């Protein structure tokens, strides 16, 4: 009856040999190509450093004015503008301004990178069922893999630092924008595409002038979810050198500093609420505009 209580598995020696072979292969790959991969990501490092420098060295009143202007442009709602500015004022008042600016710069770069990489992949999925069948299982794995696991290959390839943390955050946060770009383009009314065909539009013209504008509210929802997931990854990424609000939280966990962890955790929540409200309001405005134009 042992076979009922003990699940049949690979021989322990064979399993150890398999794991050792995979580990050694990956280590050989990192030794052989690690420097080339690091050089490939150098422009990303410069972009991140530049973004962080701008956010931390710009006087705080200008930052507040810019945030207020962006919130007003996106939402046309004074409550959202006032809430965004007040949240940042409270964060600064409690001494978390610099860490918050570093976190916002990280999220900004992650979002830009996710848009640049994710939207073309989403478009390719919408245009090709074969591509969709290939990429969907990959996205499923990316969304269900424990976030800590992303740190292992990234650290082995690139070591500890800002860029490895950035890449780990992007890998964790990019699936929503890919999925919702694909969904938004696929949900475009076929009648609109037929009308575009009747006017002799090429595939590129249909994509640029019909599909992308109509899919924009859905794509904005994907960007919103990507930002939320990137913020959720900030604390974990701090384990490999990402500066910002995540590092005080990690320090609070290690040393049992309750107030330090709570204050910085609430600051992350505050930033998440600002991004969420502003991006959602902008998505709703786009939706209403499209309904007026096409309705």
């Amino acid at each position: 009856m042992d076979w009922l209580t003990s699940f049949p598995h690979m021989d322990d020696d064979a399993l150890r040999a398999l794991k050792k072979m995979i580990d050694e292969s990956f280590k050989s790959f990192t030794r052989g190509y690690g420097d080339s991969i690091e050089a490939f990501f150098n422009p990303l490092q410069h972009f991140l450093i530049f973004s962080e420098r701008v956010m931390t060295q710009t006087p705080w009143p200008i930052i507040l004015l810019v945030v207020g202007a962006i919130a007003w442009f996106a939402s046309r709602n004074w409550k959202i503008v006032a809430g965004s500015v007040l949240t940042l004022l409270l964060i600064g008042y409690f001494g978390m301004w610099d860490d918050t600016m570093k976190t916002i710069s990280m999220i900004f770069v992650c979002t830009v990178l996710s848009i640049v990489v994710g939207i073309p992949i989403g478009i390719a999925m919408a245009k090709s069922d074969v591509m969709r069948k290939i990429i969907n299982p990959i996205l499923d794995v990316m969304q269900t893999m424990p976030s800590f696991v992303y740190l292992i290959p990234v650290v082995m390839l690139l070591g500890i630092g800002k860029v490895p943390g950035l890449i780990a955050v992007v890998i964790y946060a990019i699936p929503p924008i890919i999925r919702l770009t694909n969904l938004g383009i696929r949900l475009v009314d076929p009648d609109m595409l037929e009308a575009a065909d009747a006017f002799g539009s090429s595939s590129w013209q249909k994509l640029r002038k019909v599909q992308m504008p109509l899919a924009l509210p859905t794509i904005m929802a994907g960007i919103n979810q990507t930002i939320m997931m990137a913020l959720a990854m900030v604390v974990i990424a701090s384990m490999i050198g990402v500066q910002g609000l995540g590092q005080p939280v990690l320090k609070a966990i290690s040393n049992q500093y309750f107030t330090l962890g709570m204050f910085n955790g609430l600051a992350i929540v505050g930033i998440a609420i600002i991004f969420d409200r502003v991006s959602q309001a902008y998505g709703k405005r786009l939706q209403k505009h499209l309904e007026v134009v096409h309705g």
Side-chain angles (χ1 to χ4, degrees), residues 139-156:
L139 295 178
D140 291 339
V141 172
M142 289 170 69
Q143 288 189 293
T144 53
M145 183 78 72
S147 50
F148 283 96
V149 177
Y150 291 119
L151 304 182
I152 300 169
V154 171
V155 169
M156 289 182 70

Side-chain angles (χ1 to χ4, degrees), residues 19-90:
K19 289 178 179 179
K20 185 177 179 181
M21 182 186 71
I22 295 171
D23 288 342
E24 290 298 326
S25 298
F26 192 77
K27 287 177 182 177
S28 299
F29 177 80
T30 56
R31 284 193 292 267
Y33 299 98
D35 291 340
S36 301
I37 294 171
E38 194 170 341
F40 175 78
F41 286 112
N42 273 340
L44 190 60
Q45 183 175 12
H46 295 318
F47 181 34
L48 180 58
I49 291 170
F50 171 76
S51 173
E52 187 175 297
R53 196 170 293 160
V54 169
M55 292 299 296
T56 54
Q57 295 181 2
T58 302
W60 65 267
I62 296 176
I63 295 287
L64 291 179
L65 284 172
V66 171
V67 169
I70 292 171
W72 172 252
F73 170 78
S75 66
R76 296 292 196 274
N77 187 325
W78 282 112
K79 291 181 180 178
I80 292 177
V81 174
S84 301
V85 172
L86 181 61
T87 300
L88 288 177
L89 282 171
L90 286 171

